[in-house]
Amino acid sequence: MNIKFDTSEFTRRLKRTFDGNISYRKLFLLLFFAAVFLLYIGPSFLRWLFGHNEPVKDNTIRCMDDRLTPFYLQNLEYNVNIRHQPVFPYEHNAIPYVGNGFFGLEIQEDAHLNVFKGRALLQSVNYHPIVSVAAGGSEMHREATVVEYTSGIVHRFQCFSEGHFASYQYYAHRTMPSVLVQEIQITNTKNQLVDVELIVPRISDWPTAITKSIKLQHGSSILDYQVITGLVEMSTPAGGMSEDKRVRIVTIVARKMSRVITLKKRGTTKLELLLAINYSEPIQRDKYPTQKEITEQYAIDAMSKALQAAEHGEHNAYYALKRDHVKVWNSLWETGFHISTSKAENTLNGNDINATMYAVISHSRAYEFENLSSSQRKMDIAKALTYAEGCYDSYHTLQAENLWKKMSNLEEMNNVVASWMLTLEKQGCHNLLKAGASGVIQAMVLSFGGFRFSNQHLELNIHPKFLHRDYDFRRLNYGNMTHVNVSIAVRDDNKAVLYVALDRSDRTYYACDAGCLDIPIQLGPTRTLFPVKLTEPLTSILYITSDKAHMEDLRHAIHVKEVVEAPAHEHHVIALHKHGHSLGGLPTLFWVSIFVIIIVFHVFLCKLIVKEYCEPPDKMRYRYSKP
C-alpha cells in the first residue's frame, strides 16, 4: 500500500487547527516554552548535535575574581587601585608601594628597600625583603595587587593552576616607623599535602654587608633572626671621588626563612613576618666602627618591641599592629580633595590625584603618631600645622602637568614625589612640610585650589575659568581648632558657585566673595552659598577670616575697578567633561520617547500578526467580502 504525502494538504490542516482551536493563552504558552527552549536548552542541544564540547574554564580567572571582588566598588570610587600583572589596558598603571617616610619599597618580588635621602625615600639599599610563593614551576598563574589608599596597605594575590592561591598584605608601619609587616596566607584546595617553594629575603650586590644570627622571643617561642649591617654610599660630591665622602650605616633584622613550606590539606597556612630597619645619619666613613653597634642595637630593639606589640592582638597576633597603623592613615586622609570625573581625553581625574597623594604621603613621616616622638616634638608639629603663612603662593597645581606624570615604575614615582616636595617647599609651604605627613597633605590640598594663608586670612586664588568641574576641599586646617570645607559646584546654567562650611571652630569666622564689597557673612556648620565673581584687576574669589574688622578693611585694601558675576561656561566645555565630546548628551526625554516608540511599534506588529493568523476564517471572509 503506497501512501503519498501531500505537503499542501498537511499545511491546510495545520492552519485550520491553529485558526479554529488555539486561544491567545495557548499561543502565549507556546511562545513562552519555545523561548525557554531556545535560551536554555538550545545551545546545549546544538553543541551536542554538532559535536562542540563545553569550553574549559580557567580556574585561575575565577580564583582571581573572587580575591578582587571586595575591592571593585572602591576601585570605581578611586579609593583603591587594582593593577594586574601584566597591566590590563583599562587599569591605572601606578606601581604598588608602601612607605612611612622612614623607609619604603615597591611591592614586587625583586623589590629593594629605599631610605631617606634629600627630600624623599630616594636612596636604595640592595636588600630584597619580599617573601613570596615562587611561580617558576607553575603551568599558569595570575597575579594582581590592590593599593588601599585609606589604610596604607597593599594587598597582593597569586592564583596557581595547581590548585593553591596566596594572599598577601604589606604595610610600612606608621607608629613604629622601623617596622615592615608582611601577612601571608596560602590556601591549598587539594585534599593532599603540597610543598611550595618560597622566595625569601636576600642580599644582592652589597659587598659591605655583614650577617650574624640572633635569637628573639615571640610569645612562648624562640625564633632565629638575621642581623645584616652594611654601608650605603651617598651621592658623590661635586668635584669627583673623595676618600672621606659620607655614608650611611644600615641595619636590617629579619626572620630566617625556609625555602620550602608544606601546605595543609584543604586548609590555609599563615605566615606573619616582621622586618626591622634602622640607619644612621650620613657620617664619615671612619666613624663606622663606633656607630655600627648603636645602629644595630636600635634595630634589634625595634624588632623586640614589634614582637611584643604583636602578642597583644585581640582577634589574632597582628590585629593590634594593623589597627594602630590603619588608624593613622585614616586620620591623615581626614583632609582631602574630590573632583568630579571627566570623560575628556588626557584629563586629570580622581585616580591620578589619589595615587599621587598616596605616593607623596608615603614618603613623609607622621611624627605626631610615632611611639617614640617626644611631647616637645608633638608640640612643635602642632605649631607648624597652625602656622601656614604664605602657603600656597603660586598657581593652582591641578594645571601643573609636571606634577601629574605617570608612576608606572619606581623611578617615575620617585621623580614625581621629589618634584612635589620641591614645589611645596619653594612655594611657601616649608613650615607645613616640617610637620610631616599631616602638613604635606594640607599643603597639597591647599595647592590644588590655589588657597593661600596671608596676613590674617585664607583666600581662594583661582581663576573662574578653571571652575568647570565640581571640587570639594575637605577639612582645611585654620589653626588648631577650626576645619574649613569649601565646595565648588557647576549648576545647570553652567555657572559655578561656592559653598563654605565649618566642620568645627573655636571662634566666629566670616567670609566674603571677590572684592569683599558685600557685608561679611558669618560661617557655621551649614553650607553658605557665595557667587563666583570676576574682578578687574583679577583678585581672589573668596576670603575667610576670624577678624571681622580685618575683613571690612579688605574692601578698601582690594582695589578693583569692576566686579561682576563670572560668566557661565560654554556648553561644549561642560559637555566635553561630562560626556567625552563637545556635542553633549541627549536629554533623557529623547531616549524615553525612542523607547516608547519601539514598544508601541512591536505591540502593534504583534497584534497585527495575531489577528491575521488567529481570527476565525468566517470572520475574515466577512471582513473582506464584497457588499
Side-chain angles (χ1 to χ4, degrees):
M1 181 177 178
N2 294 328
I3 300 176
K4 185 177 179 180
F5 182 77
D6 190 344
T7 306
S8 60
E9 181 63 24
F10 174 77
T11 304
R12 284 195 297 272
R13 290 182 178 180
L14 183 64
K15 186 175 180 181
R16 284 198 300 270
T17 300
F18 281 97
D19 286 344
N21 299 325
I22 194 167
S23 64
Y24 288 125
R25 181 177 298 177
K26 291 180 180 179
L27 178 62
F28 173 77
L29 292 175
L30 181 63
L31 293 175
F32 175 77
F33 285 115
V36 171
F37 176 82
L38 291 175
L39 289 174
Y40 295 97
I41 304 175
S44 301
F45 175 75
L46 291 175
R47 281 195 297 269
W48 172 81
L49 182 63
F50 294 103
H52 292 295
N53 295 324
E54 182 77 17
V56 178
K57 293 184 178 179
D58 184 354
N59 289 330
T60 60
I61 296 178
R62 177 179 295 179
C63 166
M64 185 57 67
D65 189 57
D66 290 342
R67 308 284 82 74
L68 297 178
T69 294
F71 302 101
Y72 284 148
L73 180 58
Q74 295 181 72
N75 188 60
L76 293 175
E77 296 173 346
Y78 305 138
N79 289 326
V80 306
N81 186 53
I82 298 175
R83 183 177 185 258
H84 287 78
Q85 186 65 33
V87 182
F88 288 0
Y90 58 84
E91 291 180 335
H92 183 62
N93 189 13
I95 64 168
Y97 188 88
V98 295
N100 57 16
F102 187 72
F103 73 91
L105 74 157
E106 180 184 0
I107 300 303
Q108 53 103 355
E109 288 181 358
D110 202 38
H112 55 76
L113 286 170
N114 299 276
V115 298
F116 195 82
K117 171 187 167 185
R119 294 181 176 87
L121 302 173
L122 307 179
Q123 180 70 58
S124 62
V125 178
N126 289 327
Y127 180 80
H128 311 271
I130 297 294
V131 177
S132 178
V133 176
S138 176
E139 296 179 3
M140 180 184 295
H141 90 285
R142 299 183 183 275
E143 183 171 332
T145 56
V146 179
V147 182
E148 200 170 11
Y149 297 137
T150 55
S151 67
I153 296 175
V154 172
H155 304 263
R156 179 176 169 221
F157 304 103
Q158 291 176 306
C159 291
F160 299 90
S161 57
E162 289 85 348
H164 58 275
F165 60 87
S167 301
Y168 308 82
Q169 291 186 30
Y170 306 92
Y171 50 99
H173 208 276
R174 274 296 183 183
T175 63
M176 294 182 289
S178 297
V179 176
L180 170 68
V181 182
Q182 302 182 64
E183 297 184 24
I184 306 169
Q185 294 187 4
I186 309 173
T187 302
N188 178 21
T189 61
K190 294 183 176 180
N191 193 27
Q192 62 185 33
L193 298 176
V194 175
D195 291 336
V196 296
E197 183 181 356
L198 297 179
I199 298 174
V200 297
R202 60 210 177 279
I203 301 171
S204 68
D205 193 22
W206 194 7
T208 60
I210 301 172
T211 303
K212 68 179 182 180
S213 298
I214 62 171
K215 294 183 180 295
L216 293 175
Q217 185 169 357
H218 180 38
S220 58
S221 303
I222 303 295
L223 303 178
D224 293 325
Y225 282 81
Q226 288 182 322
V227 180
I228 302 107
T229 303
L231 294 176
V232 175
E233 295 185 356
M234 307 301 290
S235 300
T236 303
M241 298 294 293
S242 174
E243 293 183 359
D244 62 346
K245 65 181 180 180
R246 297 190 302 171
V247 297
R248 282 192 191 275
I249 303 172
V250 179
T251 297
I252 298 165
V253 181
R255 182 177 167 184
K256 290 184 178 180
M257 294 287 301
S258 172
R259 291 185 176 274
V260 178
I261 186 172
T262 301
L263 304 182
K264 304 174 184 177
K265 298 178 181 179
R266 290 190 176 276
T268 298
T269 302
K270 295 184 179 181
L271 296 174
E272 294 166 324
L273 306 173
L274 299 177
L275 178 142
I277 179 174
N278 184 43
Y279 53 90
S280 67
E281 293 293 329
I283 61 172
Q284 301 299 326
R285 186 182 292 268
D286 57 7
K287 294 184 179 179
Y288 172 71
T290 57
Q291 292 292 323
K292 175 177 177 291
E293 295 296 330
I294 298 174
T295 305
E296 282 187 354
Q297 191 58 48
Y298 189 96
I300 294 171
D301 292 343
M303 176 60 79
S304 299
K305 292 177 181 178
L307 291 173
Q308 292 175 8
E311 295 176 14
H312 299 151
E314 300 173 15
H315 303 289
N316 57 62
Y318 282 61
Y319 172 80
L321 283 177
K322 185 183 297 183
R323 177 200 60 202
D324 294 343
H325 170 80
V326 171
K327 185 177 179 180
V328 175
W329 272 96
N330 290 341
S331 178
L332 293 175
W333 282 106
E334 287 180 354
T335 296
F337 173 72
H338 173 267
I339 186 172
S340 59
T341 300
S342 170
K343 295 183 180 180
E345 292 185 5
N346 302 319
T347 303
L348 194 65
N349 273 316
N351 51 358
D352 305 287
I353 295 172
N354 286 349
T356 303
M357 292 180 68
Y358 173 81
V360 176
I361 299 169
S362 295
H363 284 249
S364 307
R365 294 180 67 172
Y367 296 108
E368 70 269 39
F369 298 103
E370 293 179 3
N371 292 340
L372 298 181
S373 292
S374 64
S375 57
Q376 182 61 45
R377 181 69 178 273
K378 294 179 180 179
M379 290 175 60
D380 293 341
I381 292 169
K383 184 178 179 180
L385 287 172
T386 59
Y387 186 72
E389 186 77 17
C391 180
Y392 172 81
D393 190 17
S394 186
Y395 52 85
H396 68 289
T397 51
L398 294 181
Q399 301 298 319
E401 295 183 1
N402 289 337
L403 297 175
W404 305 104
K405 291 184 176 180
K406 293 181 179 179
M407 298 188 294
S408 57
N409 57 57
L410 183 62
E411 182 180 2
E412 290 179 349
M413 190 201 72
N414 285 342
N415 289 337
V416 169
V417 172
S419 181
W420 266 102
M421 292 298 190
L422 177 62
T423 301
L424 295 175
E425 178 184 326
K426 299 305 179 182
Q427 297 299 337
C429 301
H430 48 279
N431 282 316
L432 286 179
L433 297 188
K434 291 177 183 178
S438 297
V440 168
I441 194 169
Q442 282 283 331
M444 291 186 75
V445 175
L446 289 173
S447 75
F448 295 160
F451 283 94
R452 182 171 182 263
F453 283 99
S454 174
N455 190 22
Q456 299 176 299
H457 67 259
L458 171 65
E459 60 187 61
L460 174 54
N461 186 20
I462 186 172
H463 198 290
K465 69 180 180 180
F466 295 115
L467 305 182
H468 43 66
R469 297 168 68 182
D470 294 344
Y471 300 151
D472 288 303
F473 301 90
R474 186 177 66 252
R475 291 176 71 88
L476 298 174
N477 277 353
Y478 200 139
N480 261 344
M481 301 299 296
T482 303
H483 295 151
V484 180
N485 296 329
V486 178
S487 299
I488 300 170
V490 180
R491 299 188 300 191
D492 293 338
D493 59 359
N494 292 344
K495 288 187 177 182
V497 294
L498 296 166
Y499 294 98
V500 184
L502 301 179
D503 254 359
R504 65 174 187 174
S505 60
D506 57 345
R507 63 188 74 176
T508 303
Y509 283 81
Y510 302 88
C512 65
D513 50 37
C516 272
L517 299 183
D518 297 328
I519 298 174
I521 298 176
Q522 183 175 334
L523 300 176
T526 304
R527 297 200 313 173
T528 303
L529 172 66
F530 294 88
V532 175
K533 293 182 179 179
L534 189 61
T535 63
E536 175 62 34
L538 190 66
T539 62
S540 299
I541 61 174
L542 180 69
Y543 298 86
I544 301 173
T545 183
S546 61
D547 187 346
K548 187 176 182 180
H550 170 72
M551 181 157 285
E552 291 173 345
D553 289 339
L554 281 178
R555 74 174 65 184
H556 305 293
I558 304 173
H559 302 285
V560 294
K561 294 186 294 184
E562 184 181 5
V563 180
V564 296
E565 190 170 332
H569 298 286
E570 295 183 8
H571 175 74
H572 70 87
V573 175
I574 303 298
L576 185 64
H577 289 291
K578 287 186 176 181
H579 310 292
H581 53 81
S582 58
L583 297 178
L586 293 171
T588 305
L589 182 60
F590 171 82
W591 295 111
V592 172
S593 302
I594 293 296
F595 184 69
V596 170
I597 290 172
I598 292 173
I599 292 177
V600 170
F601 170 76
H602 283 85
V603 169
F604 174 77
L605 182 62
C606 291
K607 182 179 180 181
L608 186 64
I609 293 172
V610 169
K611 284 188 175 182
E612 182 70 23
Y613 287 97
C614 298
E615 286 189 355
D618 55 344
K619 185 175 180 180
M620 296 186 65
R621 285 196 297 270
Y622 173 78
R623 178 183 301 175
Y624 297 108
S625 62
K626 293 182 179 180

